[in-house]
Amino acid sequence: MSDNVHKYRVLIVASHPVQYAAPLFRLMAKHPKLDIQVAYCSLQGVKAGFDAGFNVEVKWDIPLLDGYPWVEVENNSPKPKLNSFFGLINLGLWNLIRKNNFDVVIVYTGYNYFSFWIAAAAAKLNKCKFVFSTDTSGIEPRNKKIWKIWLKSVVLPPIFRFADFVFVSSTLGKQMLQKLSVPEENIILTPFAVDNDWWTFQARQVDVKEVRQQWHIPESATVILFCAKLQPWKRPQDILRAFALANVPNSYLLFAGEGSLKNELELESESLRIKDRVKFLGFVNQSNLPSIYRSASLFILPSDYEPFGVVVNEAMLCGCPVVVSDRVGSRYDLVQHGKSGFIYPCGDVEALAKILQEILPDHNFLQKMGTAATHLMESWSPQKNIEAIVKALDKSIASK
């Protein structure tokens, strides 16, 4: 490609550095048609901070700010925090957008932040393209309150149509926006992907025998893994109960994560008389996750609220087959029932136990599913995400 090719000037507004987004930003910074600038509204994650979901202080142990241009925009909120509408009030976004000639502003913060609306208004007044990125796959809220579902059905269509484009992370997300009457040509599927190359490389370096020795688990055993926050909407208790009900010999259950349900799960494992086969690893930082996935036989995500579930990507890239509930957003694109994993009705412990009884004794089948899972991930990558973004910009900007 010619050196004098026009580059699209892209401002990406993000709430805070995220381990999944940083690799994507690095690839975007290297793309010959993109000139990106990332504006962070907070640096939580790089700086140690209390994570209410994990219920512990979290500081990610991988580089989150290397390899791409970024700036921290001062947060003017009197009570700065994430997951609060007035927790991010980054007034500097206004001048950043108004004083620079960006072609497009892509907002990765949700509409439930005040800063989202600052960026949206500045982009519209500056007559540059405004793009809203979302990983949602349904309008049902986590607390299942009916009035919120009704409110979202009324409020979301004009919010989504306010953007020139909406980037969605999954096929289910695209279908949801279509049901909300967002024009199909304004919906761009940008696969929710992790750094595939990093995960597969790290997985190849793992000594499974050594890891299992650290867990005090036999190398020949079958290991089930739950890796997420121990919170009610993740339903980790369903795995515990299904594991006890299945009662497959020489099998173990691992919980990697922290959260409000940890003590309850420990007590229930005692009452179910499976305490000796259930292990709690606590919070596991990013650099240690590949060894966890690679050394497990099966990964389960039983959530009843999971817009996507990027942990499914991670497990599959490490050669670990998956079982997910039918509320997990990534199920449609990533989980091929009976091939790369299984899908079961959320909350149906007996159905989950039956799956475990059928597949846990068959080590060859588990390995075959793990291989199929890794191969499937080749078509769901950050490169595909960027290709979709550039194609959308070509269509909307270059054509004019």
Side-chain angles (χ1 to χ4, degrees):
M1 183 175 291
S2 173
D3 292 336
N4 62 357
V5 67
H6 172 73
K7 289 189 174 185
Y8 301 121
R9 297 204 66 219
V10 180
L11 177 67
I12 299 171
V13 180
S15 59
H16 63 294
V18 179
Q19 66 272 31
Y20 309 123
L24 181 68
F25 295 161
R26 294 188 190 105
L27 288 174
M28 293 175 74
K30 295 177 181 178
H31 196 281
K33 297 185 73 173
L34 298 176
D35 177 13
I36 74 164
Q37 170 80 58
V38 178
Y40 284 119
C41 300
S42 164
L43 287 185
Q44 182 171 324
V46 175
K47 299 176 180 178
F50 182 78
D51 188 299
F54 282 118
N55 205 31
V56 295
E57 187 175 79
V58 172
K59 180 181 179 181
W60 298 111
D61 63 353
I62 59 171
L64 298 180
L65 300 176
D66 297 349
Y68 61 91
W70 63 274
V71 62
E72 180 185 10
V73 181
E74 181 183 0
N75 186 6
N76 306 106
S77 172
K79 295 183 179 180
K81 63 178 181 178
L82 300 179
N83 302 317
S84 170
F85 183 78
F86 292 109
L88 294 180
I89 305 177
N90 304 83
L91 301 178
L93 289 171
W94 182 268
N95 284 336
L96 179 62
I97 296 171
R98 294 285 285 160
K99 293 182 178 181
N100 290 275
N101 188 30
F102 294 110
D103 294 304
V104 59
V105 175
I106 304 175
V107 181
Y108 282 88
T109 65
Y111 58 86
N112 52 338
Y113 284 118
F114 190 84
S115 291
F116 171 92
W117 297 102
I118 296 174
K124 287 293 185 178
L125 287 173
N126 227 39
K127 297 183 179 179
C128 59
K129 295 293 181 181
F130 173 66
V131 177
F132 175 19
S133 179
T134 178
D135 67 350
T136 188
S137 56
I139 64 172
E140 186 177 74
R142 194 165 68 196
N143 59 18
K144 306 293 191 295
K145 291 185 176 179
I146 300 298
W147 70 267
K148 283 192 175 183
I149 297 176
W150 174 84
L151 182 63
K152 283 189 173 186
S153 68
V154 173
V155 173
L156 286 184
I159 290 178
F160 285 127
R161 288 197 292 266
F162 182 74
D164 294 285
F165 288 101
V166 181
F167 290 162
V168 294
S169 302
S170 66
T171 300
L172 289 176
K174 183 175 182 178
Q175 293 174 355
M176 184 205 74
L177 261 64
Q178 289 172 331
K179 291 178 182 178
L180 292 175
S181 301
V182 178
E184 185 171 356
E185 61 271 18
N186 292 351
I187 307 171
I188 309 299
L189 175 58
T190 54
F192 197 157
V194 297
D195 188 345
N196 289 15
D197 294 339
W198 185 86
W199 283 95
T200 53
F201 175 80
Q202 295 296 324
R204 287 195 293 266
Q205 315 308 310
V206 176
D207 185 333
V208 175
K209 182 178 180 180
E210 180 181 338
V211 174
R212 290 200 173 188
Q213 285 177 344
Q214 295 172 2
W215 295 340
H216 304 290
I217 291 177
E219 187 179 6
S220 61
T222 305
V223 179
I224 301 168
L225 172 66
F226 172 90
C227 183
K229 298 174 180 179
L230 301 178
Q231 296 289 348
W233 64 90
K234 299 286 185 179
R235 301 187 68 92
Q237 69 277 8
D238 287 0
I239 301 180
L240 190 68
R241 294 164 188 170
F243 177 72
L245 185 60
N247 195 28
V248 177
N250 198 28
S251 61
Y252 291 77
L253 173 59
L254 260 62
F255 288 100
E258 288 283 355
S260 61
L261 293 181
K262 184 177 181 180
N263 292 338
E264 182 181 319
L265 292 167
E266 289 177 331
L267 290 173
E268 188 167 356
S269 70
E270 290 184 24
S271 66
L272 292 171
R273 298 181 180 181
I274 55 173
K275 181 181 177 181
D276 59 330
R277 294 193 292 133
V278 179
K279 299 183 181 294
F280 294 86
L281 303 182
F283 173 76
V284 179
N285 217 318
Q286 195 76 2
S287 64
N288 294 321
L289 285 176
S291 65
I292 305 292
Y293 290 119
R294 186 70 186 90
S295 302
S297 310
L298 182 70
F299 172 77
I300 302 180
L301 188 61
S303 307
D304 68 9
Y305 178 82
E306 199 74 58
F308 188 81
V310 74
V311 287
V312 174
N313 302 52
E314 297 172 350
M316 292 173 66
L317 286 165
C318 293
C320 187
V322 300
V323 175
V324 302
S325 80
D326 58 3
R327 297 289 183 86
V328 175
S330 60
R331 71 186 186 278
Y332 191 95
D333 295 295
L334 300 185
V335 185
Q336 296 178 344
H337 189 79
K339 185 175 181 181
S340 64
F342 287 86
I343 304 169
Y344 75 98
C346 182
D348 192 336
V349 172
E350 291 186 359
L352 179 56
K354 184 177 180 181
I355 292 173
L356 298 183
Q357 288 174 335
E358 289 179 354
I359 67 175
L360 290 188
D362 194 339
H363 288 213
N364 289 333
F365 180 64
L366 287 171
Q367 291 177 356
K368 185 178 179 180
M369 279 205 305
T371 301
T374 303
H375 288 165
L376 187 148
M377 292 305 299
E378 294 174 1
S379 61
W380 193 267
S381 67
Q383 288 81 6
K384 297 290 185 182
N385 182 301
I386 297 172
E387 287 175 12
I389 292 174
V390 173
K391 185 176 180 180
L393 296 181
D394 283 339
K395 181 180 179 180
S396 65
I397 299 175
S399 62
K400 295 184 179 181

